[in-house]
Structures are given as structure tokens and as C-alpha cells.
């Protein structure tokens, strides 16, 4: 396993674009801290984001993982190009001739995906602790450790998304087309949801769409803003009832895990079937 | 003798096209093999199958004694197929280091192998800055990194200029003289003739011949003769039991043997018949002539 990771990181280490994108990703991740300084006016209210409780434990786990997850596209480009470059440079062929098996090749990519996701999760974990201890109103250990399952959800969300990218990279062999396909798929899921909702009910639509790859990854970490103080207050004033289930459920993790398996396995099956 | 590679009825179909059909042969240690065939005869497909990049439709192959998986066996093989493929953004040395990691060999040999192909002074240049000849030489260095049991070269001189072709040939000869088994696929017959001891000839995916170069054709060679009394010469030759056919062209008589006959015997015979030769050469068909005969027979 270590050998396969070494091989893949050796390839990435010397590629300037991959290096720049990966570093940019982690730098931008650390910019989440800057949200603390955002202020804006809403009618007569002056709102300072940091005061709205976004950095309070345990909510901060939810908030940070959600914001960080939106930045996954940076790494997605790296993942897709790490497959498509092997095709365009025909180095995949050379790797196989040199004695790497197709399974080892696929595993080296998958391990890299896991390594990226793990590194990113660790990064968010450390950053959240620092931000939380600096700004949170509550720092009791029992509160700090609550809702840490969002980290697990974050990890699965990244691995799932990157596995999808990996699969698309193998399927279409061109990075631009693979990313384009990803975008088209996203639109497809949204349109399908719209049709389902229109033809049946919102409940049925939600029940069906949760099994689709992108939606299942989205469900792992729901939109956190409804939990913010000022939105809750506003909702209460309007007598509106927003009851959103934002928790991480085991079945959400299970659905994404099945997708991860399907993506990696199909990518391997495709690779195995193809003549190079 | 130690067997390096065995092919058993290997077959590859691309839809209706039969690229390789029921191909069987073995490669023994220490010989230099040539795979001959016109373009599109299935040479590269065959090599692709044994190198694990093309899936066989049916049949099987086995590396060494068959006790290891193909991809592990390939770590003991050095191969270059079609075009040199490396990471363009890495330098020559970095590319070779990666190959070492894949093949599980010590990277200490990188400089030594770069020296063999005369690229040591360019080891820190990016692969993308190399000329085609340099790329091809780097590919050879890469294939040699593991001191392979067998070196497979597919059209190694394709697209190179005369100097490049010459350099590659010299390198191949040096490697062959060191006792490494070589499998050279080419459509250039003189290239194969110069370095190979054995040939496998394929056409349209079917094997026509596999064996030593000398036994390729059962023929005993032919004589080229010239003399004053041409008509008499021809009649003597035609009545002789050892000749299969006689041809005459521009005053030069070519007589093909069907039984062995030395030049001395023929010369003595003709002299006793009163025919004095002004020109006499005994030759064997060149690989090209034999190849053309062999492929023509099947048409």
C-alpha cells in the first residue's frame, strides 16, 4: 500500500499544476477563519457573523465542514487530471508494461483519494478546534466533542465525490470532459428532482433522490444556515416553522459508501476491459 | 534450455477483424528473436497481449515457468512499445526513478543506464524537451533498469533519422552481445537480419514460420553464373538432377538448387564439360527474399 501511495505522490509531486491546486486548496480552506471578520447590515440590524454563533461548539463542526466541502472542486480537478494525464501521456500503458497491475494502478489512485480526504479532514479538525476555542461561548469538553460525526460525514463526502471524479476520469479520459460531465450530471439530478416533485409529492421526490450520488453526498452535511441564531429568530417572528433534519444518519453514510464502492469497482472493471 | 515466454493459441479479435489468430511459439533464453511482419500484421497486438495491456480473446501465454502473475513477471522484463511514454513534466532521472519504484528495483543504476544510451549529460532535462531519438534512447535506458531477462523492442527505430537509427542499432548490438535475450518486432528486414538468430514471421495475424533464421527456407541457395557459352551452360544445368530451376537475365544465369551442391563440385563438372566460367557466386537468399517467397507462397 505504501509503495502504491509513494508511486502516486511521486507523480503528483513533480506536476506543477497539481501542486499549485493542492496548495491553493489548503490555503483557501484556512481562509474560513476570515469569516470571523465579516460584518453586514440587514435593514436596521447590524450583523457580525462571528457573533451569530457560527463558531460555537458544537455547531462549528457542522458549519466548518459544510463550508470546507464546497471547496472540494479544487481537489476534484487534481483527481480528474491525475487520471486523464495518464491516458493522454500514455503513461498508463507504460506503467502496466513496467509491472504495475491494473488493480494496483486503480488502488494507487484510490489510496491517494483517501489520503487527500483524510488530510483535508485532519486540517478541518485542527482548524475547527483553534477557531472554536478562540470564539466559542462554550468550551466544555463534553460540548466540544458533540456532533463530531460531521467530521466523519465530511470525510465520506470527500471520498465519495473524489471517487465519482476518479470514475469519470477513467470513463471519459479527458479532464475537461470529465468535469463537464460532472456538471451535466449535477443538472440532471436537479431536473430529475424537479420532475419527481412536480409529478409526485415532495416526500416521494426526497425519498428517491437521496439515493443519487451527488444528492446522497449533499445529504451528509445539510445546509447549516437554518441553525443560525438570527435565522431562527427571524423564523420565530414570522411564525414560520423550519424543521430541518440536519443530523448525520447512518443510512446516509451507507448510501455514499455504496456509491464509493460502485465508482471504484466500475472504474477498475472499465480499465480491466479496455485495450490500451 | 530455459523458456522465457510461451504463447499458446493466442487470439485477438477486434470485432470482425482477426488481429492475431491462434499464435503459438516459445522464446528461449539467450537468443535474439525477431518478429517479422508487414504493418498491421498483428506484431504490436501480440506484444500488447503478453505485456498485459491488450486483453486476449482466447488462448494463453506464460512468462518464465508460469509460477508468477503476469504483472510480477513483467518486473523482470524490459519493454518498449511503439512510442516512448513518460511524464513530460519530469526530468529523465525523475522518470527513471518512478520506473524503479514501480519495478521494485534499486534506483542506484539510473546513471549507469543513462550512460549506456548516452543521455547522462541530459539527466536533469525535462522529458518534454527531448528529441524523438533521445526519447527512444531514454525508453531503452528505462527498459534496462531492472537488468531484464528479456528486452522487448517494438519498432525501436521507427521515425528516427539515420544517426538515430544507427545509435539504436549499436545499443541493441551491445546489449545482445551481453547475453540478454531480445525480442525485436520490426517490418524492416535488414534490421532483423543484422541482429537476430531466430525469427517468427506473421502475416494477417497468422504465424508463417518460427525458428532459426538459417532454417527459414529449406532451400540450399543458388548460383549466379556467367560464361561465353550460355546455351550450353543452361542445357547442362537443366539436365543436372540437383537444380530445381534456371533463370536467365541480362546474360546472368541464376540456378536454384534443390539438393546440396558445393561450388567446387559444380565448377569441376562444368570445366570437364568444356564450359569455362567468367563469373560464379553461390548465395543463400537474403531474409528479404525468403520473406517475400514465404509470404508469396501463401497468396
Amino acid at each position: 500500500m505504501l509503495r502504491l501511495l509513494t508511486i502516486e505522490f511521486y507523480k503528483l509531486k513533480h506536476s506543477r499544476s497539481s501542486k499549485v491546486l493542492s496548495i491553493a486548496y489548503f490555503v483557501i480552506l484556512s481562509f474560513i477563519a476570515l469569516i470571523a471578520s465579516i460584518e453586514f447590515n440587514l435593514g436596521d440590524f447590524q450583523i457580525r457573523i462571528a457573533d451569530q454563533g457560527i463558531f460555537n461548539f458544537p455547531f462549528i463542526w457542522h458549519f466548518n465542514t459544510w463550508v470546507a466541502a464546497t471547496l472540494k472542486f479544487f481537489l476534484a480537478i487534481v483527481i480528474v487530471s491525475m487520471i486523464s494525464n495518464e491516458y493522454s501521456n500514455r503513461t498508463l500503458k507504460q506503467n502496466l508494461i513496467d509491472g504495475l497491475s491494473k488493480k494496483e494502478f486503480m488502488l494507487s489512485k484510490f489510496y491517494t483519494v483517501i489520503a487527500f480526504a483524510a488530510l483535508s479532514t485532519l486540517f478541518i479538525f485542527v482548524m475547527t478546534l483553534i477557531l472554536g476555542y478562540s470564539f466559542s461561548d462554550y468550551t466544555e469538553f463534553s460540548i466540544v466533542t458533540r456532533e463530531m460525526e460531521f467530521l466523519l460525514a465530511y470525510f465520506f463526502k470527500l471520498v465519495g465525490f473524489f471517487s465519482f471524479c476518479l470514475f469519470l476520469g477513467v470513463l471519459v479520459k479527458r479532464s475537461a470532459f470529465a468535469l463537464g460531465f460532472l456538471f451535466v450530471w449535477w443538472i440532471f439530478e436537479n431536473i430529475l428532482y424537479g420532475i419527481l416533485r412536480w409529478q409526485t409529492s415532495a416526500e416521494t421526490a426526497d425519498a428517491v433522490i437521496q439515493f443519487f450520488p451527488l444528492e446522497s453526498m449533499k445529504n451528509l452535511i445539510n445546509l447549516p444556515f437554518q441553525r443560525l441564531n438570527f435565522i431562527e429568530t427571524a423564523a420565530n417572528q414570522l411564525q414560520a416553522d423550519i424543521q430541518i433534519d440536519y443530523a448525520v444518519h447512518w443510512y446516509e453514510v451507507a448510501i455514499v459508501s455504496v456509491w464509493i464502492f460502485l465508482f471504484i469497482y466500475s472504474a477498475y472493471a472499465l480499465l480491466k476491459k479496455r485495450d490500451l | 534450455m530455459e523458456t522465457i515466454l510461451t504463447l499458446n493459441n493466442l487470439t485477438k479479435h477486434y470485432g470482425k477483424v482477426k488481429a492475431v489468430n491462434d499464435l503459438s511459439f516459445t522464446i528461449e533464453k539467450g537468443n535474439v528473436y525477431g518478429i517479422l511482419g508487414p504493418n498491421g500484421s498483428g506484431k504490436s497486438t501480440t506484444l500488447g497481449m503478453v505485456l498485459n495491456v491488450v486483453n486476449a480473446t482466447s488462448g494463453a501465454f506464460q512468462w518464465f515457468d508460469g509460477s508468477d502473475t503476469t504483472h510480477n513477471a513483467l518486473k523482470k522484463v524490459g519493454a518498449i512499445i511503439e512510442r516512448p511514454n513518460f511524464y513530460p513534466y519530469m526530468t529523465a532521472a525523475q522518470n527513471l526513478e518512478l520506473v524503479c519504484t514501480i519495478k521494485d528495483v534499486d534506483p542506484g543504476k539510473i546513471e549507469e543506464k543513462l550512460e549506456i544510451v548516452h543521455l547522462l549529460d541530459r539527466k536533469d532535462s525535462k522529458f518534454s524537451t527531448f528529441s524523438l531519438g533521445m526519447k527512444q534512447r531514454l525508453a531503452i535506458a528505462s527498459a534496462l533498469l531492472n537488468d531484464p531477462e528479456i528486452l522487448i523492442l517494438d519498432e525501436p527505430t521507427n521515425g528516427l533519422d539515420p544517426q538515430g537509427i544507427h545509435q539504436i542499432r549499436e545499443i541493441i548490438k551491445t546489449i545482445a552481445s551481453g547475453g540478454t535475450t531480445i525480442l525485436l518486432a520490426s517490418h524492416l528486414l535488414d534490421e532483423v537480419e543484422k541482429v537476430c538468430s531466430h525469427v517468427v514471421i506473421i502475416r494477417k495475424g497468422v504465424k508463417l514460420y518460427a525458428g532459426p533464421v538459417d532454417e527459414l527456407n529449406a532451400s540450399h541457395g543458388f548460383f549466379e553464373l556467367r560464361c561465353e557459352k550460355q546455351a550450353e551452360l543452361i542445357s547442362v544445368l537443366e539436365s543436372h538432377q540437383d537444380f530445381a530451376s534456371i533463370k536467365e537475365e541480362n546474360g546472368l544465369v541464376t540456378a536454384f538448387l534443390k539438393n546440396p551442391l558445393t561450388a567446387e563440385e559444380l565448377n569441376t563438372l562444368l570445366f570437364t564439360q568444356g564450359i569455362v566460367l567468367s563469373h560464379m557466386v553461390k548465395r543463400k537468399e537474403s531474409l528479404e527474399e525468403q520473406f517475400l517467397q514465404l509470404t508469396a507462397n501463401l497468396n
Side-chain angles (χ1 to χ4, degrees), chain A residues 3-4 6-8 10-16 18 85-86 88-102 104-105 109 270-276, chain B residues 12 14 51-56 70-72 74-75 77-90 93-95 97-99 101-104 126 142-143:
Chain A
R3 168 173 163 261
L4 297 179
T6 317
I7 290 172
E8 192 51 46
Y10 193 90
K11 291 175 189 169
L12 289 176
K13 190 172 76 182
H14 292 104
S15 158
R16 194 180 296 153
S18 303
N85 280 347
E86 301 272 9
S88 54
N89 295 332
R90 296 160 68 90
T91 42
L92 166 57
K93 195 170 175 178
Q94 195 61 43
N95 281 177
L96 297 182
I97 292 169
D98 286 338
L100 205 67
S101 70
K102 286 180 174 176
E104 282 178 332
F105 177 83
K109 302 291 181 196
L270 259 177
L271 196 66
K272 213 170 147 184
K273 207 176 120 252
R274 267 189 201 151
D275 294 325
L276 296 163
Chain B
K12 175 69 188 179
Y14 290 108
L51 291 173
N52 212 9
V53 290
V54 175
N55 299 313
T70 302
H71 75 270
N72 270 331
L74 287 180
K75 288 176 185 161
V77 174
I80 305 164
I81 62 177
E82 287 164 10
R83 252 175 32 181
N85 304 318
F86 290 99
Y87 296 89
Y89 52 82
M90 289 190 211
Q94 285 166 350
N95 266 304
E97 209 176 310
L98 180 65
V99 175
T101 320
I102 292 176
K103 283 192 183 279
D104 267 334
K126 284 200 169 134
S142 153

Side-chain angles (χ1 to χ4, degrees), chain A residues 49 58 63 113 244 276:
Chain A
I49 294 283
F63 181 77
V113 158
I244 286 175
L276 296 163

Side-chain angles (χ1 to χ4, degrees), chain A residues 34-234:
Chain A
L34 290 181
I35 294 174
S37 59
I38 298 176
E39 286 180 50
F40 58 90
N41 296 316
L42 194 75
D44 293 338
F45 302 99
Q46 199 194 35
I47 295 171
R48 188 164 165 236
I49 294 283
D51 293 338
Q52 295 305 316
I54 60 163
F55 290 142
N56 279 347
F57 284 117
F59 175 70
I60 187 171
W61 293 118
H62 187 177
F63 181 77
N64 273 4
T65 49
W66 185 83
V67 174
T70 56
L71 296 171
K72 59 188 183 289
F73 292 97
F74 279 88
L75 283 187
I77 298 171
V78 176
I79 307 276
V80 166
S81 64
M82 101 189 168
I83 291 280
S84 60
N85 280 347
E86 301 272 9
Y87 272 104
S88 54
N89 295 332
R90 296 160 68 90
T91 42
L92 166 57
K93 195 170 175 178
Q94 195 61 43
N95 281 177
L96 297 182
I97 292 169
D98 286 338
L100 205 67
S101 70
K102 286 180 174 176
K103 191 172 169 185
E104 282 178 332
F105 177 83
M106 210 54 234
L107 280 177
S108 83
K109 302 291 181 196
F110 185 52
Y111 290 156
T112 309
V113 158
I114 290 181
F116 267 127
L119 202 66
S120 183
T121 310
L122 184 72
F123 192 89
I124 288 298
F125 171 70
V126 172
M127 202 178 74
T128 307
L129 280 187
I130 295 171
L131 278 178
Y133 274 108
S134 317
F135 293 100
S136 177
D137 299 337
Y138 333 97
T139 50
E140 292 85 353
F141 185 73
S142 60
I143 296 180
V144 170
T145 50
R146 256 170 57 194
E147 295 191 16
M148 272 178 81
E149 67 268 19
F150 277 110
L151 279 180
L152 185 78
Y154 178 70
F155 176 74
F156 270 88
K157 188 171 167 140
L158 287 194
V159 175
F161 188 70
F162 295 156
S163 301
F164 196 12
C165 294
L166 212 61
F167 168 72
L168 289 179
V170 174
L171 185 71
V172 294
K173 307 179 200 171
R174 301 269 182 283
S175 35
F177 285 106
L179 292 170
F181 193 101
L182 190 66
F183 182 65
V184 170
W185 182 262
W186 178 74
I187 293 175
F188 165 75
E189 276 193 25
N190 279 301
I191 291 177
L192 188 74
Y193 180 72
I195 294 174
L196 280 172
R197 218 189 144 119
W198 169 50
Q199 290 291 336
T200 62
S201 64
E203 288 75 34
T204 325
D206 282 332
V208 172
I209 206 78
Q210 66 170 331
F211 290 106
F212 282 74
L214 289 177
E215 185 66 23
S216 69
M217 291 166 205
K218 192 175 124 194
N219 283 342
L220 276 176
I221 304 176
N222 300 95
L223 205 64
F225 296 112
Q226 292 89 340
R227 294 177 73 188
L228 283 174
N229 288 343
F230 71 96
I231 294 191
E232 268 180 7
T233 318

